[in-house]
């Protein structure tokens, strides 16, 4: 690719950063890195009624958690600032004045009540919703006089003849009938620009060469192309990313939950796994690569490998990737993560600091079992605190309610553990003792092991059983086995 490539990520501070927005930012950033350009962060806060305190900081935190840094932006500066739209109002008004002067924009005095009734009538008659052009023919001089005393918006005068075609880097040429377009608002009654005007001015001033954004903006293409034409500006190249959908084919939305980017961090996903997962939502390197590092992604990413079909947000795939990256961590890094997630996840009544030797011993047992870091505390709580009470039925849940087998299992386990002397207590003798139950009961271990898991951990499955019993110690293991046997009685 020739020339300097510049992309931007321009979120609105109306809440937490959406996971789909994070995917958009990742693709723009990776594209820039692969082409030696600049990545710009811009905050689009022109909708002041929806502004949420703390959103900007949440955006910064979410991007940097994934490893995305920007060359220009509100907090790092740059030659094209300011990078917050509410600080650029003069620029938008200047362009709006130019559009009004050349006849491509006009004042509209229609009230919110009239527009609401118009939409209702259009719905009743089966018509496409849109402005009907009532103020389009007003005399400009008279309109300016009225605007001194009456609230008004500024609308763009769309050319409604012919078609608008523009090349999309993902979908190819996209054509729209101009007759289906309506005159949209450029400036609202409060003097703030709409997305369409602010985006146009900012992308032009910031020399953006490629606009990589969500599919929901595809239908706005005719508006933006005509705006560029009216200003005699060269438009950037557009790439509209495929929508993210859930298992039922519905678009991911804030209303469905589990879409805030930092929720994935807080639920125990590693940034490396999340980046790997997001990278393959609509893009692929080839027909066999499933794992990719940030360094590899920023070397090979290209828009011609992005598809237009909806991308399935497969949480099971994300869990599998996260487990893969957890098991790839070196022991020291993993031990530190375990210590952190135990500290934040274990109940406050468990004394701190936690036993460092026990944390170190538990870490490798967890590494093979954990898919998310938020599972660490739940899986290992039994090592650091008294076993919480559980119903007797849990002991037989996995053996079809066979209380007789559960009783035999616990009796044999108590005898086997008692036979291991305190001096010989270690993982290997403990494992040998518990495996001997197969001969005692004349059953495979898998037929009754859930009983032992519940007795020791309070759950029918968990981290490796033999090592866990060894870590608990002989006395505590016997106490829990006897307690479970008493429940059956």
């Amino acid at each position: 690719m020739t020339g300097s490539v510049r992309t931007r990520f321009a979120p609105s501070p109306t809440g937490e950063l959406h996971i789909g927005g994070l995917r958009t930012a990742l693709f723009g950033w990776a594209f820039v890195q692969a082409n030696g350009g600049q990545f710009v962060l811009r905050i689009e806060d022109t909708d002041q009624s929806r502004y949420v305190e703390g959103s900007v900081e949440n955006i910064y935190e979410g991007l940097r958690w994934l490893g995305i840094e920007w060359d220009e932006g509100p907090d790092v500066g740059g030659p094209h600032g300011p990078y917050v739209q509410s600080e650029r109002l003069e620029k938008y008004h200047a362009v709006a004045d130019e559009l009004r002067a050349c006849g491509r924009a006009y004042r509209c005095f229609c009230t919110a009540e009239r527009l609401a009734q118009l939409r209702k009538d259009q719905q009743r008659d089966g018509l496409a919703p849109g402005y009907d052009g009532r103020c389009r023919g007003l005399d400009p001089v008279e309109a300016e006089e009225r605007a001194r005393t009456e609230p008004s918006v500024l609308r763009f005068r769309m050319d409604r003849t012919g078609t608008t075609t523009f090349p999309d880097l993902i979908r190819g040429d996209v054509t729209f009938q101009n007759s289906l377009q309506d005159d949209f608002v450029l400036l609202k009654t409060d003097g703030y620009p709409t997305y369409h005007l602010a985006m146009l001015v900012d992308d032009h001033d910031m020399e953006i060469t490629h606009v990589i954004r969500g599919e929901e903006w595809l239908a706005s293409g005719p508006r933006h192309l005509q705006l560029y034409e009216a200003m005699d500006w060269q438009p950037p190249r557009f790439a509209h990313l495929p929508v993210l959908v859930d298992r039922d084919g519905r678009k991911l939305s804030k209303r469905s939950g589990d879409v805030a980017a930092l929720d994935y961090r807080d639920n125990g996903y590693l940034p490396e796994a999340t980046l790997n997962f997001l990278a393959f939502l609509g893009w692929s390197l080839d027909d066999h690569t499933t794992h990719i590092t940030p360094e590899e992604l920023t070397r090979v990413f290209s828009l011609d490998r992005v598809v237009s079909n909806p991308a399935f947000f497969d949480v099971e795939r994300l869990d599998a990737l996260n487990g893969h990256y957890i098991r790839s961590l070196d022991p020291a890094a993993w031990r530190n993560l375990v210590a952190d997630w135990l500290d934040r996840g274990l109940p406050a009544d468990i004394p701190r600091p936690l036993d460092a030797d026990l944390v170190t011993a538990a870490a490798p047992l967890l590494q093979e079992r954990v898919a998310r870091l938020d599972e660490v505390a739940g899986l290992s709580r039994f090592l650091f605190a008294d076993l919480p009470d559980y119903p007797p039925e849990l002991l037989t849940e996995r053996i079809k309610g066979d209380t007789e087998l559960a009783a035999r299992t616990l009796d044999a386990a108590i005898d086997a553990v008692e036979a291991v002397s305190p001096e010989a207590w270690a993982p290997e003798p403990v494992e040998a003792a518990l495996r001997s139950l197969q001969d005692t009961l004349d059953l495979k271990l898998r037929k009754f092991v859930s009983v032992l898991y519940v007795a020791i951990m309070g759950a029918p499955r968990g981290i490796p059983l033999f090592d866990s019993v060894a870590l608990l110690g002989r006395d505590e293991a016997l106490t829990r086995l006897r307690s479970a046997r008493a429940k059956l009685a």
Side-chain angles (χ1 to χ4, degrees):
M1 186 168 294
T2 59
S4 178
V5 171
R6 290 175 59 82
T7 68
R8 46 72 166 177
F9 179 55
S12 299
T14 56
E16 295 180 294
L17 177 63
H18 188 287
I19 194 70
L22 189 58
R23 192 274 303 258
T24 299
L26 175 65
F27 280 26
W29 173 76
F31 180 71
V32 157
Q33 299 301 313
N35 290 282
Q38 294 85 43
F39 184 61
V40 178
L41 177 63
R42 186 171 75 224
I43 301 299
E44 298 194 340
D45 64 341
T46 56
D47 190 347
Q48 292 287 294
S49 65
R50 297 178 61 214
Y51 178 81
V52 175
E53 195 70 37
S55 292
V56 173
E57 292 73 19
N58 180 272
I59 291 165
Y60 294 163
E61 194 174 352
L63 294 174
R64 287 185 167 131
W65 170 64
L66 207 66
I68 296 174
E69 293 288 345
W70 42 99
D71 302 290
E72 301 173 27
D75 60 332
V76 300
H80 300 86
Y83 296 92
V84 178
Q85 286 186 336
S86 59
E87 301 172 13
R88 299 172 58 83
L89 297 183
E90 289 184 7
K91 297 176 182 290
Y92 310 135
H93 281 267
V95 172
D97 289 342
E98 287 188 52
L99 291 168
R100 193 165 61 246
C102 71
R104 290 306 299 270
Y106 61 91
R107 297 279 186 185
C108 173
F109 300 91
C110 293
T111 64
E113 291 76 17
R114 179 187 180 270
L115 296 175
Q117 185 60 49
L118 175 63
R119 283 193 295 272
K120 193 177 297 183
D121 293 344
Q122 288 169 334
Q123 288 175 345
R124 181 198 62 206
D125 298 335
L127 302 174
Y131 182 60
D132 61 357
R134 177 171 180 172
C135 296
R136 186 179 174 115
L138 291 177
D139 178 83
V141 176
E142 292 180 12
E144 290 306 309
E145 284 295 322
R146 287 180 61 183
R148 297 177 189 276
T149 57
E150 295 181 50
S152 66
V153 299
L154 189 70
R155 290 186 182 272
F156 182 71
R157 190 187 304 274
M158 287 288 287
D159 177 0
R160 303 186 67 189
T161 63
T163 60
T164 296
T165 298
F166 67 91
D168 184 274
L169 294 172
I170 294 171
R171 300 157 199 278
D173 286 349
V174 183
T175 299
F176 292 88
Q177 294 292 327
N178 290 338
S179 60
L180 301 178
Q181 307 300 317
D182 68 341
D183 294 349
F184 58 94
V185 175
L186 295 171
L187 288 178
K188 296 174 284 189
T189 54
D190 60 4
Y192 275 80
T194 60
Y195 167 81
H196 307 292
L197 176 61
M199 176 278 306
L200 176 98
V201 175
D202 293 346
D203 284 350
H204 174 74
D205 287 355
M206 296 176 187
E207 303 180 71
I208 300 302
T209 63
H210 294 74
V211 171
I212 300 172
R213 60 188 182 184
E215 181 185 72
E216 64 269 21
W217 294 111
L218 184 64
S220 298
R223 296 179 171 187
H224 300 162
L225 267 293
Q226 287 202 30
L227 268 172
Y228 275 107
E229 181 184 9
M231 291 301 298
D232 197 25
W233 290 346
Q234 178 68 32
R237 304 186 72 184
F238 291 95
H240 292 90
L241 303 179
V243 66
L244 302 183
V245 297
D246 63 17
R247 186 175 297 279
D248 297 321
R250 297 172 301 192
K251 179 182 176 183
L252 289 187
S253 69
K254 293 181 180 179
R255 287 185 293 274
S256 66
D258 294 329
V259 295
L262 287 177
D263 282 354
Y264 289 86
R265 178 198 65 181
D266 298 340
N267 289 338
Y269 291 100
L270 297 172
E272 301 90 339
T274 308
L275 180 144
N276 191 150
F277 175 70
L278 293 177
F280 289 102
L281 289 181
W283 175 85
S284 64
L285 177 59
D286 47 43
D287 60 359
H288 61 272
T289 300
T290 56
H291 297 96
I292 197 164
T293 65
E295 294 75 21
E296 291 169 328
L297 179 65
T298 55
R299 188 175 67 250
V300 302
F301 185 86
S302 66
L303 290 171
D304 59 5
R305 298 288 303 178
V306 179
V307 297
S308 60
N309 298 330
F312 171 36
F313 196 92
D314 186 353
V315 177
E316 292 180 2
R317 167 68 179 152
L318 175 56
D319 286 347
L321 276 172
N322 205 54
H324 166 80
Y325 280 95
I326 282 174
R327 285 180 279 284
S328 300
L329 289 169
D330 68 71
W334 173 243
R335 190 264 177 212
N336 291 336
L337 277 174
V338 167
D340 178 39
W341 282 81
L342 283 174
D343 191 55
R344 71 169 80 175
L346 290 176
D349 59 356
I350 295 178
R352 304 299 200 274
L354 299 172
D355 184 328
D357 290 338
L358 188 53
V359 171
T360 299
L365 308 183
L366 290 159
Q367 194 164 13
E368 293 302 315
R369 292 291 193 277
V370 168
R372 300 192 317 268
L373 296 173
D374 65 351
E375 298 172 340
V376 165
L379 283 172
S380 51
R381 183 188 187 283
F382 75 95
L383 290 171
F384 297 88
D386 293 337
L387 194 63
D389 195 28
Y390 57 86
E393 303 81 50
L394 194 61
L395 287 161
T396 59
E397 182 182 85
R398 298 286 180 93
I399 56 171
K400 301 178 180 179
D402 191 340
T403 54
E404 189 269 337
L405 173 58
R408 289 173 54 218
T409 298
L410 291 168
D411 287 338
I414 292 168
D415 291 342
V417 171
E418 284 181 332
V420 182
S421 69
E423 297 76 22
W425 191 262
E428 292 78 10
V430 168
E431 179 175 353
L434 293 177
R435 285 194 181 279
S436 72
L437 300 187
Q438 296 181 110
D439 296 329
T440 304
L441 301 173
D442 194 23
L443 289 170
K444 295 291 186 182
L445 186 65
R446 67 176 183 275
K447 297 290 187 179
F448 59 84
V449 73
S450 65
V451 179
L452 300 178
Y453 266 105
V454 173
I456 296 297
M457 303 180 191
R461 60 175 296 276
I463 60 178
L465 176 67
F466 307 134
D467 297 277
S468 298
V469 172
L471 283 177
L472 273 178
R474 183 175 182 274
D475 291 345
E476 181 62 23
L478 284 169
T479 296
R480 295 188 182 191
L481 290 169
R482 288 167 181 156
S483 174
R485 184 64 181 85
K487 282 181 180 292
L488 286 178

